[in-house]
Amino acid sequence: MTDKRPTLTLKPKARPARKPAPEGAARPWATGGQGRGPSASAPADARPRRGETERDHAGRTASREPERLRPSHEVKIVPQHDYRPDLKADSLALSLLGAASAVARVRGGTALPQALSSVFSAYDVTPQARGAIQDIAYRTMRQLGRSEVLLGLMTTKAPEPPMLGALLCAALALLDPPPGTNPPYEAFTVVDQAVDAAASHPDFAHAKAMVNAVLRRFLRERETLGAQALKQPLARWNYPQWWIDSTRAAYPNDWEAILAAGNVHPPLTLRVNRRRTDAEAYLRLLADAGIEAARVGPTAVRLAQAVNVSQIPGFHDGVVSVQDAGAQLAAPLLDLADGMRVLDACAAPGGKSGHILETADVDLTSVDADPARLARVGDNLGRLGLRAKLVAAEAQDAGWWDGRPYDRILADVPCTASGIVRRHPDIRWLRRKSDTLQLATLSSKILDNLWQMLLPNGKLLFVTCSLWPQESEAQAAAFAARHGAIRLDAPGQLLPASGAGQDHDGLFYALFQKPAA
């Protein structure tokens, strides 16, 4: 059978204008920020193998029409995400291909950290290559809307397979950095290495000439194409349209600054372990090591330039931990005292659990539904020389509870994570608008369940890293009304901020006290 693959061609420069798409709409081949559009493909290991029965998510045999032989032009090649190319370990081509594989996995519904982990395992790359692949993948995620719109302006149809489109987006992210930043590589190097990357992969080696033509056209027509792309909100803001609309509706005076903050590379912020030292002493230690830093909270220190944790003085000895300055507000708000019985619900990866134990000698139980993520809580506490009871369980269920009430409960509930997109830029492309209501419903069940575990006069701190009122203020108000909870002073909604003396993600805090019996 002849394998006739679709050929992607350049859009003629003088082609008559098409009927314009609705403002902010993605090109037909883009997934519109949901990670589940028609061009997104599932990872190869998620597809049924030859000879296996295709099953639905519940494990039951799925009904399907009888198979028929298809003409060769309908044959779809299963993408080889895990293909190990014959490229130099330190080449930009390998880094581009690895980043493209990760981006394609995100477009298939996988979170970026897990996607990168799969790529690192499949490609068996060096630590240096891992860093380059991760850097390019995160850059691509932050600029994906703009790159997709540019690609749609220069091509006539969807790149197939999706990894080819991801490779072009990764290259465009390097050629077209955000205003005010310098390109990380010379333009001719990016084009040359992107072509080498395409040529090395069996799924789209046939498209290497197209890759060359698209990228060179962008360099020739950069100003014209850029101006045309920025007419679309998707390219201007690098968020799905529903996300832009939700932010504007919730914060009519601040929505532009909020969206812009989510596209900025986040700082590396440390939490100083008060059992070992204080912030001022640690700043002197950093200065002695030639590392510039500033204090942005009682125990928060922001590095001027991010470095590997292996280079951070005292990290492996538990002197400091990596934690956003906004997240460091949780433990102090709990008003902890030695001897208290404390619950950290939805605890993974353990930053707040560690901070609680650094603050007071308490009997801490850390609960998380994911056993693998709960293991990270144990690892992080072990580095700090601290201990807690770890329980793998759903926070909305009570079957794991021993019936002994808690003095303090930290409820860092599941949410859309819209307040931490500068650290996790893939979230915007994975979430759907409907996720807000679904997660808010789950969170309300968790809060109601935890409230019964709290002692009279005890305090529950409700935390979410969302910017949407449905998940934050509206949730807090509804919870207080349902239970007659006494609401105490707390920061409420923190918008993403960066500047002198402060630097934090977008989080929400509400503190409640249970009335005396």
Side-chain angles (χ1 to χ4, degrees):
M1 182 182 294
T2 303
D3 176 18
K4 296 182 179 178
R5 305 189 187 190
T7 301
L8 186 67
T9 58
L10 282 174
K11 185 179 292 185
K13 183 175 181 180
R15 188 182 184 92
R18 296 181 179 182
K19 182 179 179 180
E23 185 178 3
R27 304 299 300 175
W29 60 274
T31 59
Q34 308 303 329
R36 300 176 176 86
S39 69
S41 58
D45 57 2
R47 295 171 177 266
R49 298 178 181 176
R50 185 176 299 175
E52 294 182 341
T53 304
E54 184 176 278
R55 294 178 178 271
D56 61 15
H57 291 298
R60 298 179 292 273
T61 303
S63 60
R64 53 178 178 174
E65 297 180 358
E67 294 186 359
R68 61 179 178 84
L69 292 177
R70 297 185 297 175
S72 61
H73 68 272
E74 292 185 21
V75 173
K76 300 294 183 183
I77 306 300
V78 177
Q80 301 184 56
H81 288 305
D82 296 340
Y83 175 76
R84 177 62 169 91
D86 184 19
L87 293 168
K88 292 182 179 179
D90 60 349
S91 67
L92 178 57
L94 179 64
S95 299
L96 279 166
L97 201 62
S101 180
V103 171
R105 291 172 190 267
V106 171
R107 279 313 213 181
T110 302
L112 185 54
Q114 286 69 43
L116 285 168
S117 179
S118 297
V119 171
F120 296 155
S121 177
Y123 282 31
D124 190 25
V125 293
T126 64
Q128 181 180 2
R130 286 185 178 216
I133 290 172
Q134 178 170 299
D135 176 70
I136 295 172
Y138 273 82
R139 286 175 184 268
T140 305
M141 285 289 102
R142 290 190 179 94
Q143 297 172 233
L144 193 59
R146 181 180 173 95
S147 296
E148 286 187 342
V149 171
L150 285 170
L151 190 53
L153 292 172
M154 293 187 287
T155 58
T156 59
K157 62 180 300 183
E160 287 288 345
M163 190 171 163
L164 174 59
L167 174 62
L168 285 163
C169 286
L172 286 170
L174 297 182
L175 293 172
D176 187 36
T181 61
N182 297 321
Y185 303 93
E186 295 289 344
F188 73 89
T189 301
V190 174
V191 175
D192 176 72
Q193 293 293 286
V195 172
D196 284 354
S200 72
H201 202 289
D203 287 356
F204 43 83
H206 61 284
K208 65 178 183 179
M210 182 275 298
V211 171
N212 181 67
V214 167
L215 298 180
R216 290 188 180 279
R217 177 177 173 184
F218 170 74
L219 293 175
R220 290 194 308 271
E221 305 174 29
R222 181 197 302 263
E223 292 187 8
T224 301
L225 289 168
Q228 191 174 356
L230 289 177
K231 294 178 181 179
Q232 297 193 36
L234 176 63
R236 183 181 178 188
W237 297 111
N238 285 295
Y239 294 88
Q241 187 63 50
W242 74 265
W243 191 298
I244 298 172
D245 294 341
S246 296
T247 308
R248 190 169 189 170
Y251 306 99
N253 298 323
D254 302 307
W255 68 277
E256 291 180 318
I258 292 170
L259 294 177
N263 289 326
V264 175
H265 193 283
L268 179 58
T269 304
L270 306 176
R271 183 187 75 243
V272 178
N273 185 348
R274 62 191 296 269
R275 291 183 179 269
R276 304 288 185 88
T277 186
D278 57 42
E280 292 303 322
Y282 188 72
L283 283 172
R284 291 193 294 271
L285 180 63
L286 289 176
D288 292 341
I291 299 176
E292 184 181 352
R295 187 172 179 175
V296 290
T299 58
V301 171
R302 178 186 61 196
L303 302 189
Q305 182 68 41
V307 299
N308 188 283
V309 292
S310 63
Q311 300 174 265
I312 298 175
F315 178 83
H316 292 297
D317 298 324
V319 177
V320 290
S321 300
V322 176
Q323 189 179 40
D324 178 73
Q328 295 186 37
L329 298 176
L333 283 167
L334 284 169
D335 187 26
L336 300 165
D338 292 349
M340 282 184 172
R341 182 171 159 83
V342 180
L343 171 65
D344 182 4
C346 311
K352 295 182 179 68
S353 286
H355 198 189
I356 287 171
L357 291 170
E358 291 171 3
T359 303
D361 292 320
V362 300
D363 177 12
L364 178 65
T365 299
S366 297
V367 175
D368 200 88
D370 187 338
R373 284 172 53 80
L374 188 65
R376 290 184 59 193
V377 178
D379 292 341
N380 285 326
L381 293 181
R383 182 181 58 81
L384 296 168
L386 303 170
R387 295 181 60 185
K389 180 182 179 182
L390 306 183
V391 178
E394 300 280 356
Q396 69 269 30
D397 297 329
W400 54 270
W401 182 40
D402 61 8
R404 297 168 55 203
Y406 296 95
D407 297 283
R408 299 288 187 268
I409 295 178
L410 171 59
D412 190 354
V413 299
C415 67
T416 55
S418 52
I420 57 173
V421 288
R422 65 175 183 169
R423 299 188 186 278
H424 303 281
D426 55 316
I427 288 172
R428 71 192 79 185
W429 310 116
L430 292 170
R431 291 298 186 203
R432 299 184 181 191
K433 186 176 182 179
S434 59
D435 291 342
T436 302
L437 177 59
Q438 293 174 4
L439 288 166
T441 300
L442 172 61
S443 297
S444 67
K445 293 179 180 178
I446 291 174
L447 291 171
D448 290 345
N449 185 51
L450 297 179
W451 190 246
Q452 67 175 322
M453 303 179 187
L454 187 66
L455 277 168
N457 289 323
K459 296 178 182 179
L460 181 149
L461 181 62
F462 164 44
V463 186
T464 179
C465 54
S466 175
L467 296 174
W468 314 138
Q470 302 97 306
E471 297 179 282
S472 53
E473 181 54 47
Q475 179 82 275
F479 171 78
R482 286 197 305 274
H483 297 286
I486 302 169
R487 192 161 178 179
L488 305 177
D489 288 340
Q493 185 69 63
L494 297 176
L495 299 181
S498 181
Q502 66 172 350
D503 199 323
H504 55 73
D505 294 332
L507 295 98
F508 176 83
Y509 287 98
L511 182 63
F512 302 97
Q513 186 170 33
K514 195 170 190 176

